[in-house]
Amino acid sequence: MEHKVLNQSIQTAVEAFKKLDEKITLFTSATSLLDWDQKVMAPKKGRKAFSKAIGVLKTEEFKLMVSEEMGELLSILSTPEAADHLDEVTKARVRERKDFYDRSNSIPSDMFQEYAVLTAQANESWEEAREKNDFSIFCPDLEKIVEFNRKVVEIYGYEKHPYDALLNQYEPGLTVEKLDPLFAKLREKSIDLLQRIQQSAYKPPVEIFEQSFSVDKQKEFNRYLLPILGFDMEAGRLDETVHPFAQPININDVRITTRYIEKNVRAALFGTIHEAGHGIYEQNIDEQFEGTALQTGASYGIHESQSRFLENMVGRSEEFWKYFYPKLQEHFPSQLEQVSEEDFYRAINTVQPSMIRVEADELTYNLHIMIRYEIEKALLEGEIEVKDLPSIWNQKMEEYLGITPATDSEGVLQDVHWSFGGLGYFPSYSLGNLYAAQILNTIKKECPNFYSDIENANFDNIQEWLKTNIHQYGKLYTPNDLILKVTGEELNANYLVEYLEQKYSRIYQL
Ligand code: ZN
């Protein structure tokens, strides 16, 4: 009898939890659309006032996630008795909401609202600082953001390193202890490979890109490419922004952006392929997860693995351009007629240390990330102060990449992330590269026609494999469980190191 009563109360709690989970997910959907509008559509003058409206809505969303009701439901549904009655999907939904609840419920809602307003302001001050090349305009806001994060990690709690608490927001289960050796190996091998490349007499003919490529033609090519890759244009949009991004509103409304630069045809080309990778992931999540906490990618790192995989492993492969290069030549006959496919392939894979992370090649990219990772860790530990960032930044650039930015705009001010408080986020990009290389190793074994499919622009099998093994699950599995399930082993740096070594040995004739 008692058992039956218990079952009933669990059942009631499950129903109430599902409703609340859905309500929060719909709030997220609405605020995502508003974020997208701010970045893509809203007139510049109206943004500041509207950021307050977004702040209010996000606060309401936050209050639901940390509400008393949520707390009670989670405590009922996380007991061992409840575990026997919950299916796998409900358990994962509870895990996701509980994770956030436990982390956040000790943050007072006025502190959260203050932070939402601060980050909206910081975004403005960062933009102005970057435009005017004046770090001091952004510095006070960034100091407040760092201060807030120092408080927050104490509230969240951590076992060994305060930075773990920030990493966990983006990559559940990841710690400094796990990440340091992965990065150490990647750093050592990357710097060694970079030095050999720089000593190589062979130089890819990168000057082919120092020409004008009509923006209209670029748009045409991108719109031709997107659906072939597997991005569903009836369940998404492509727009233009200075900083490209992917924003899911729901599974059948996934919006990506790109930017067209006449003197830089590569920016839109690879930017679009990259964002398409994010978009295709979101579009292929199982519809049973619509309106639940699982209606998104497993983690930021896994998400980034999907964009990097499509951009680099597929989009910068020789096979890809066997098919698409003649089409690109048709769009740009005067620029590319005289350029061979081989030269084009080598030119899009040029390795050249540069100031700007988002323009970095596959090899030096990770070194940019390590600079940010080390700075964030030290900021959090209080080892360095925000006001010293411009000089620290420049020193590290010199040490890792052998170059020094001439201005802060192309140095410490280049990225938007710190302005929205995204400390702990940067490692996701390199994790994406690490995951992607490990996934490549598995997909090549399980889809023996991987490269011949790419050569024929047939992405059905590849997208089907990604959907079956990764995309459909949304956030059902933790990143660690997912990579283990997909590749049979924990994340390690060997696959990326080997991939880079092989690729560039051939290109640079090392
Ligand atoms: Zn990305």
Side-chain angles (χ1 to χ4, degrees):
M1 189 65 193
E2 210 176 57
H3 190 64
K4 203 175 168 193
V5 171
L6 183 68
N7 285 354
Q8 272 176 355
S9 74
I10 289 171
Q11 205 40 50
T12 315
V14 166
E15 292 313 314
F17 170 78
K18 284 182 177 173
K19 269 190 192 155
L20 186 54
D21 184 25
E22 185 179 24
K23 187 173 177 181
I24 295 166
T25 308
L26 294 174
F27 255 94
T28 310
S29 185
T31 52
S32 300
L33 178 60
L34 297 177
D35 277 337
W36 175 87
D37 186 82
Q38 287 280 81
K39 289 177 191 146
V40 179
M41 285 291 170
K44 200 178 173 191
K45 286 182 180 173
R47 284 183 208 166
K48 196 164 186 176
F50 199 71
S51 70
K52 282 187 190 158
I54 297 179
V56 167
L57 273 176
K58 285 191 177 172
T59 304
E60 291 308 306
E61 182 188 344
F62 180 75
K63 281 183 186 165
L64 289 174
M65 291 194 273
V66 299
S67 62
E68 223 172 283
E69 187 193 3
M70 180 61 95
E72 277 167 21
L73 294 171
L74 290 173
S75 70
I76 297 170
L77 297 176
S78 350
T79 58
E81 293 94 323
D84 295 338
H85 296 277
L86 302 186
D87 57 58
E88 191 189 21
V89 173
T90 311
K91 272 184 204 162
R93 289 169 75 175
V94 169
R95 180 200 69 216
E96 281 306 309
R97 292 302 179 199
K98 189 171 188 307
D99 188 50
F100 191 85
Y101 179 89
D102 288 347
R103 257 193 286 122
S104 323
N105 97 68
S106 42
I107 298 181
S109 67
D110 56 346
M111 188 175 159
F112 183 81
Q113 184 156 11
E114 225 173 88
Y115 190 58
V117 175
L118 168 63
T119 50
Q121 267 172 23
N123 190 262
E124 301 275 322
S125 68
W126 165 74
E127 265 185 23
E128 193 188 336
R130 202 174 82 131
E131 226 172 87
K132 297 184 177 162
N133 185 34
D134 183 352
F135 183 73
S136 72
I137 296 171
F138 179 48
C139 188
D141 283 341
L142 185 55
E143 278 170 350
K144 285 182 212 154
I145 285 172
V146 169
E147 203 39 58
F148 180 90
N149 275 282
R150 281 178 185 156
K151 280 188 212 153
V152 157
V153 296
E154 295 309 322
I155 295 173
Y156 287 176
Y158 52 86
E159 270 180 33
K160 291 194 174 153
H161 196 288
Y163 195 72
D164 293 349
L166 297 183
L167 279 176
N168 261 274
Q169 301 176 98
Y170 305 103
E171 211 59 22
L174 187 66
T175 59
V176 166
E177 199 174 19
K178 282 188 196 169
L179 192 52
D180 275 352
L182 286 174
F183 275 5
K185 173 158 192 183
L186 185 57
R187 177 170 53 228
E188 183 203 334
K189 300 288 182 185
S190 298
I191 290 177
D192 171 65
L193 181 56
L194 178 60
Q195 283 168 353
R196 281 183 286 137
I197 287 171
Q198 288 182 312
Q199 283 156 13
S200 161
Y202 178 75
K203 302 282 175 248
V206 70
E207 63 282 356
I208 61 173
F209 295 118
E210 291 162 11
Q211 310 182 62
S212 289
F213 290 77
S214 132
V215 165
D216 283 345
K217 286 281 165 194
Q218 289 191 44
K219 285 184 187 176
E220 205 181 291
F221 189 79
N222 275 287
R223 290 191 175 276
Y224 150 77
L225 192 58
L226 255 191
I228 300 179
L229 294 173
F231 186 83
D232 181 355
M233 292 302 287
E234 287 178 8
R237 291 177 56 92
L238 174 66
D239 292 278
E240 291 170 46
T241 50
V242 176
H243 294 275
F245 64 96
Q247 182 73 72
I249 312 298
N250 57 55
I251 291 168
N252 286 302
D253 182 356
V254 180
R255 306 180 183 200
I256 63 174
T257 68
T258 194
R259 65 167 171 174
Y260 298 101
I261 305 167
E262 199 173 295
K263 294 270 183 194
N264 183 355
V265 70
R266 286 176 292 179
L269 202 50
F270 293 102
T272 307
I273 301 174
H274 178 97
E275 300 306 334
H278 285 301
I280 292 166
Y281 189 178
E282 292 284 332
Q283 287 179 335
N284 283 301
I285 292 170
D286 194 312
E287 291 204 9
Q288 67 162 315
F289 299 141
E290 186 93 82
T292 78
L294 310 180
Q295 180 198 308
T296 187
S299 69
Y300 286 75
I302 297 286
H303 228 301
E304 197 59 20
S305 80
Q306 295 310 290
S307 54
R308 302 273 156 161
F309 183 81
L310 201 61
E311 177 192 351
N312 293 331
M313 278 75 180
V314 175
R316 282 183 220 269
S317 69
E318 256 183 300
E319 291 78 6
F320 186 85
W321 291 103
K322 277 199 177 120
Y323 185 90
F324 287 107
Y325 188 57
K327 316 274 176 203
L328 191 69
Q329 280 178 314
E330 279 169 29
H331 282 73
F332 302 103
S334 65
Q335 293 91 337
L336 297 175
E337 219 168 37
Q338 305 299 320
V339 180
S340 72
E341 186 190 300
E342 173 80 9
D343 277 350
F344 178 81
Y345 165 68
R346 289 180 173 191
I348 58 167
N349 285 296
T350 301
V351 171
Q352 177 70 53
S354 65
M355 303 302 170
I356 307 295
R357 173 185 61 86
V358 296
E359 290 165 10
D361 56 77
E362 268 184 274
L363 177 62
T364 59
Y365 188 92
N366 299 307
L367 298 170
H368 286 266
I369 294 305
M370 288 170 199
I371 290 171
R372 289 152 178 80
Y373 171 63
E374 284 163 22
I375 286 177
E376 288 184 354
K377 267 201 305 184
L379 276 176
L380 211 63
E381 289 170 324
E383 275 182 14
I384 57 173
E385 291 304 325
V386 171
K387 64 176 172 47
D388 301 322
L389 284 190
S391 66
I392 293 169
W393 183 280
N394 292 355
Q395 281 163 20
K396 284 193 179 287
M397 283 294 288
E398 189 56 50
E399 190 188 330
Y400 283 72
L401 291 152
I403 49 177
T404 305
T407 67
D408 288 339
S409 294
E410 65 169 15
V412 68
L413 286 170
Q414 65 182 272
D415 294 304
V416 68
H417 302 63
W418 291 339
S419 80
F420 64 73
L423 277 79
Y425 189 124
F426 280 118
S428 312
Y429 295 116
S430 283
L431 285 169
N433 290 330
L434 292 160
Y435 285 130
Q438 193 160 323
I439 290 166
L440 175 69
N441 179 66
T442 304
I443 197 173
K444 282 196 299 190
K445 284 187 215 152
E446 295 183 10
C447 300
N449 298 328
F450 180 75
Y451 285 117
S452 61
D453 278 349
I454 294 175
E455 206 177 312
N456 294 310
N458 175 4
F459 295 97
D460 293 353
N461 288 333
I462 294 169
Q463 291 301 353
E464 193 54 40
W465 189 93
L466 292 171
K467 182 179 177 172
T468 306
N469 289 283
I470 299 167
H471 300 171
Q472 64 157 332
Y473 296 123
K475 230 175 163 47
L476 183 61
Y477 300 117
T478 61
N480 202 47
D481 287 350
L482 184 66
I483 200 70
L484 202 58
K485 187 171 148 56
V486 176
T487 69
E489 58 186 315
E490 304 250 339
L491 182 63
N492 73 66
N494 298 340
Y495 295 109
L496 182 58
V497 166
E498 277 166 27
Y499 162 83
L500 293 169
E501 181 70 37
Q502 256 185 8
K503 179 168 186 173
Y504 291 110
S505 294
R506 150 128 169 70
I507 291 169
Y508 280 89
Q509 302 160 0
L510 301 177

